[in-house]
Amino acid sequence: MSLMEEAARVAAEFEYPAEAVNKGVKEFMKEMDEGLEKVGATLSQIPTYVTAVPNGTEKGLYMAVDLGGTNFRVCSIHLNGDTTFSLTQSKVAIPREMMVAKTAQELFSFLARQIQVFLKTHHEEHYEAGVRRRQTMSAADGYKDEENFYLGFTFSFPVDQLGINSGKLIRWTKGFDIEDAVGKDVCALLQDEIDKLHLPVKVAALVNDTVGTLMARSYTSPGKTGTLLGAIFGTGTNGAYVEKLEKVKKMASVSNDYDKSTGEMIINTEWGSFDNHMSVLPNTPYDEDLDKESVNPGIQMFEKRISGMFLGEILRRAMLSMMNKSHVSFLKDEHSGVNDVHSTTTIDDDSALYKQWGLDTSFLSIVSEDHSPNLRIVRQTLDRDLSVNAASFEDAEAVKMLARAIGRRAARLSAVALGAIVISTGRLNKTTINTSTTAITTEGKSSETNAETSEAVKEEDVIDIGVDGSVVEYYPGFEDYLREALREIPEIGPEGEKRIRIGIAKDGSGVGAALIALVARSAEKSHSDHIPVRGPQ
């Protein structure tokens, strides 16, 4: 068998046809409903207690902090009320000793001090006035709660969320290990330390970055309809969407202390765990081996086929499989005469090709978009990243074929999640009659167009989706592949796919967190003084 025949055979293992896409959509919708009904389902469907999305007219100054790893970010966001905002931020590394402190108080005291430094540096007048007011709380004209900065707290660790600004830490990840904090309300821990410093700051919301992505997109997106879904396709993958409260059956047993006025709630799906039981997901020997040797076998099976953390490893394993076939001349030559560079291909003994997680997913993006003569860039990248010397043109062609197949499958799998949510929420059934139309492009940008244009979609009929992450941003053709699969879902089809606008939503943990703090503040106020929100679609 020739090299290209073998490459085509392996690439075909990653085919994910229309029939499989539609089976996936039906299973995803089934797991969505199960997750809305009970705690402990495969698809977690976590209520976020966020019950409104912004429409771009909101104004005000809000704060956000982000503890997501080895850095702590503090931001202030000024919302201008015209879908634009200005952001001021600072970032500080978390000292190693704080990540493994003996008490929760040590870490959260450190975080509060960073907020204090930020306020002194960037909002000194407000800071000084706030401290004075807090020190005169007993006076008749003393401190008022509305004079606070309202803050959204992005806390990227597993929590059991109990309310919009309440959640107990389940466990630490990412190198943190402070046993004293486990089981405690992380918002209360931060608020206690803020109060000790008399800072004019209220921790108003506990934020998941995917929910923040949805909020940031809804504030900045064009048009009249609120964003339905926020999705991350990066190192990991997840989605959050707007659901009707009446469908969130498990809220009856979880909590009754939340704003019900909009009739909606944002749900954090945690869709990386979709179909962990492998009833509909595609499987190859490379997927199976990756899972067996991962730190969490049998878990996050959807994510392991889509996200940037895993795509490079899938490709590495597929390449090794081809190399190990004696009848296939892949990354090896019998003699220099069969190599178009008149040399023999060699691989260094310490090549990243031989190391688990040795191949970064950015490699797929570089390889897939190479159109240079004789695939020069692919060959240079093989040399630079994998220490493959003098790769032949056929070697490069084979690697590109595999990279495209793996990326295309990831995009088509992503369409399963997006398609299922679009169908389940009934947004496709809502149409309006209006002569104002908007053309939707694959880049997610819109432009006014003539009503007679076949590509035209009424602005009120647009289904807006915000996305973020390196895979969706940088993998060439990712959105095109995703849209191709959406068109193959009968309930959506070509006409429904045209109504879906996909746009990049940046900084969910900053701007999005601030917007959730705004929603939380609104929920505290009287019904006559709440933010303008987009109602149920």
Side-chain angles (χ1 to χ4, degrees), residues 473-491:
E473 277 199 76
Y474 301 119
Y475 185 86
F478 190 88
E479 185 179 336
D480 291 336
Y481 292 141
L482 189 156
R483 287 184 174 277
E484 173 188 63
L486 288 175
R487 290 191 292 271
E488 294 168 0
I489 301 169
E491 296 90 337

Side-chain angles (χ1 to χ4, degrees), residues 520-534:
R521 182 180 187 180
S522 167
E524 292 181 0
K525 292 186 173 185
S526 67
H527 290 297
S528 63
D529 187 27
H530 60 67
I531 62 167
V533 298
R534 292 165 167 142

